[in-house]
Amino acid sequence: MSLAIVWKIWKHRNKIVFSNGVVDDVEIFAMAQVNAWQWTKTGRQKVHFSFSDWCLNPRECLVQLR
């Protein structure tokens, strides 16, 4: 999950530097949540939690994967 956050910060930083973007903390956090959820679900058939479950309690969702 931390990799998703770092990845989104890096991409947002590049948007600011190379495309004259504006710092948007809410966008960074929201997109990091989306990326982490997508990466968690990719290639796993036993994932039975929704994105809203992931946003509300990601730790519990990760425990389900074990």
Side-chain angles (χ1 to χ4, degrees):
M1 189 154 108
S2 59
L3 183 61
I5 294 167
V6 171
W7 176 250
K8 190 57 197 166
I9 291 170
W10 181 263
K11 291 197 46 107
H12 195 75
R13 175 215 164 266
N14 285 347
K15 180 178 164 185
I16 292 166
V17 171
F18 299 115
S19 301
N20 296 323
V22 178
V23 175
D24 186 349
D25 299 340
V26 174
E27 178 187 351
I28 293 170
F29 182 75
M31 293 310 297
Q33 280 184 307
V34 171
N35 287 349
W37 181 67
Q38 288 173 332
W39 291 355
T40 301
K41 288 189 61 105
T42 300
R44 294 189 174 107
Q45 295 179 0
K46 64 179 183 175
V47 174
H48 300 293
F49 50 82
S50 67
F51 179 68
S52 61
D53 293 335
W54 175 257
C55 291
L56 294 173
N57 198 348
R59 185 171 292 175
E60 184 177 318
C61 294
L62 290 173
V63 168
Q64 291 179 22
L65 296 175
R66 294 184 184 165

